[in-house]
Amino acid sequence: MNITFENPDKVNGQLTVTIEKEDYQDKVEKTLKDYRKRAQVPGFRPGMVPMGMIKKQYGMAVKMEEVNRLLSEKVTSYINENKIQVLGQPLASEHQEPADLAQDGPFTFKFDIAVAPEFTIELTNNDKLTYYAIKADDKMIDQQVQMFCQQFGEMKDADVFSGNDTLTGDLRQLDDHGNTLEGGITVDSSQLMPAYIKEEDQKKLFDGCKPGDIITFNPKKAYPDNDAEIAALLKLKKEEVKDLTSDFSYQVTGIRHFQPAEVGQTLFDKVFGEGVVSNEKDFRKKASEMIESQLAQNSDYKFMEDLRAYCEDKVGELKFPEELLKRFMKQQDKEKEKSDEEFEKDFQSSLRELKWHLIKEQLVSAQGIKVEDGEVKSLAQTQVRQQFVQYYGINDMPEDVIEKYADEMLNKRENVERLVDIIVSQKLLQNCKTVVKLSEKSVTFDEFNKLAKEA
């Protein structure tokens, strides 16, 4: 077997593999002998089928399989041993005659290989970047305090209805004269939130009502085009209220008012733990620190975007084997119908991402960043916990259940690759913040958004 590699312009390579008869013959003969031992042919005892018959029936298929195996194995090993950084996969050359495997060889195969451009990127303390730390302003702190007050508020009985209060009362269907309809619809202890009534005239009927008051309203007018809401109120099926136009009386039996928590020691203890904060000034400071900690993700994201732009500019323009990459991309997307304009737009976007990917690989290698199996599993478990909280509101799922779902996640290769990429990106972020010379600048959230929009 002979393998040669030509790469005159450093990015467009051609790998030529020549396979001789002696490269595959022994393995083919051995495989055919195994077939002969197992072959079941009428008129012949097991293992006594003539080899000529076996070769005629299976010889070509076995040879093709062995040649393809050899080809794949040798191409891969050559690329790895010679440290050729291939972009995509080797493509069978368009400029070669098909191999006639009916003959004994030699067989020559040519592959076009897209090779990554050569460059070097290094970051040191001489590289300067700005890190935009978002500071919480009074408006954001006020909003956070209000959220705490809402979060730890409670429902209390009220004497007069207002705003978003919840009413409890007894519903009675009325006849055309405004009297309770005999045998009509009745619902005791029905809960009603007038704030959600769509029709303003019907909503105003409840303004200032008190326990004991009787309000006459029309559900059909209160919730136009929303039979589901009416059915829920009257505890009926949706189809049962389709033609219902009656007025109803609603005798208020109770009013529940949501009372936000007061800013004081009780709230301080509920939010940050008993005794951690003892006055409003420190409470607001703690709230500010919490906000800024959450917003640090935004700052980190912008830093990585700025770092990317800085590195891409530092590396300069790279020469890519564009025609080869387009061939590879078209093979990958052959089932997607795209116009030439759409394809070119996607291709240019892919080139930009590829450039950053190659830069990122060098930075990761230079900084010795590695990912352990335990880190991947830990992140998988974290994501599973977040999913249970987000989708089901479950905060205390048992650890054995978490581990089971995490293991299922890790059974898929694409999930493992995604998690590894997240960990690598997180480590690269932290490392680069210590490698380059960082100039921290405090900005408001509005100023930060303006910077991000401009970028």
Side-chain angles (χ1 to χ4, degrees), residues 54-301:
I54 296 295
K55 286 184 177 180
K56 184 176 180 180
Q57 186 171 357
Y58 302 108
M60 180 62 71
V62 171
K63 184 198 289 188
M64 288 178 63
E65 183 178 348
E66 179 58 19
V67 169
N68 285 331
R69 186 194 67 78
L70 268 175
L71 198 58
S72 175
E73 179 184 289
K74 296 303 179 182
V75 168
T76 301
S77 62
Y78 185 91
I79 289 172
N80 292 337
E81 289 168 7
N82 291 275
K83 295 181 170 59
I84 302 172
Q85 193 172 7
V86 180
L87 303 176
Q89 297 291 332
L91 299 173
S93 177
E94 296 177 321
H95 307 292
Q96 67 175 328
E97 293 294 327
D100 184 3
L101 294 182
Q103 305 302 318
D104 289 334
F107 307 120
T108 298
F109 303 90
K110 295 184 178 181
F111 295 92
D112 294 328
I113 295 184
V115 182
E118 294 180 0
F119 68 94
T120 301
I121 176 71
E122 183 181 9
L123 293 177
T124 68
N125 195 49
N126 293 325
D127 298 295
K128 301 175 182 179
L129 283 167
T130 301
Y131 184 87
Y132 296 96
I134 306 172
K135 304 299 289 183
D137 56 23
D138 287 340
K139 180 181 177 182
M140 296 179 74
I141 297 172
D142 289 342
Q143 291 174 340
Q144 185 62 58
V145 170
Q146 289 176 10
M147 286 178 61
F148 286 144
C149 291
Q150 291 291 323
Q151 181 181 351
F152 294 99
E154 57 183 355
M155 298 296 292
K156 293 186 175 182
D157 291 332
D159 296 327
V160 181
F161 168 81
S162 65
N164 293 316
D165 291 352
T166 301
L167 299 177
T168 302
D170 300 329
L171 274 166
R172 300 289 184 268
Q173 187 178 8
L174 304 179
D175 61 22
D176 294 339
H177 302 290
N179 299 316
T180 299
L181 179 65
E182 186 176 350
I185 300 168
T186 64
V187 183
D188 292 331
S189 300
S190 173
Q191 290 196 334
L192 176 66
M193 289 190 71
Y196 290 105
I197 292 177
K198 302 299 182 185
E199 178 57 46
E200 286 298 321
D201 288 345
Q202 293 291 311
K203 184 186 294 186
K204 288 179 181 179
L205 295 173
F206 295 87
D207 287 353
C209 67
K210 303 174 182 177
D213 288 352
I214 299 176
I215 295 99
T216 299
F217 79 113
N218 190 297
K220 200 71 171 182
K221 293 178 181 178
Y223 306 100
D225 304 318
N226 195 340
D227 288 347
E229 189 76 33
I230 298 170
L233 176 68
L234 301 178
K235 294 182 171 50
L236 298 173
K237 295 180 180 178
K238 186 177 177 180
E239 55 269 20
E240 293 178 312
V241 302
K242 182 179 179 182
D243 300 316
L244 183 66
T245 59
S246 302
D247 285 343
F248 279 74
S249 66
Y250 187 82
Q251 183 170 15
V252 180
T253 58
I255 303 172
R256 297 285 285 172
H257 174 76
F258 179 77
Q259 181 64 50
E262 293 183 1
V263 177
Q265 192 61 51
T266 301
L267 180 63
F268 302 160
D269 292 344
K270 286 181 178 180
V271 174
F272 294 115
E274 190 171 347
V276 175
V277 173
S278 59
N279 57 68
E280 187 173 351
K281 180 181 178 181
D282 289 344
F283 180 64
R284 290 177 64 85
K285 183 181 178 182
K286 271 282 191 183
S288 173
E289 291 171 355
M290 187 185 76
I291 295 168
E292 290 171 3
S293 174
Q294 294 169 346
L295 292 176
Q297 295 180 16
N298 301 57
S299 299
D300 286 345
Y301 179 80

Side-chain angles (χ1 to χ4, degrees), residues 329-364:
M329 187 170 170
K330 285 178 179 178
Q331 284 193 9
Q332 295 295 103
D333 296 344
K334 58 185 176 183
E335 295 183 1
K336 298 179 182 178
E337 295 183 4
K338 293 182 181 179
S339 66
D340 291 342
E341 184 179 351
E342 288 175 326
F343 178 83
E344 187 62 30
K345 183 179 178 181
D346 288 348
F347 179 71
Q348 293 303 323
S349 176
S350 295
L351 279 189
R352 289 192 293 272
E353 291 304 315
L354 180 57
K355 180 178 180 179
W356 172 235
H357 174 75
L358 295 174
I359 292 172
K360 190 175 173 182
E361 276 190 335
Q362 279 204 28
L363 295 177
V364 168

Side-chain angles (χ1 to χ4, degrees), residues 17-28:
V17 183
T18 302
I19 297 178
E20 305 285 351
K21 181 178 180 179
E22 54 266 26
D23 295 322
Y24 64 81
Q25 187 64 25
D26 288 348
K27 184 63 184 291
V28 169

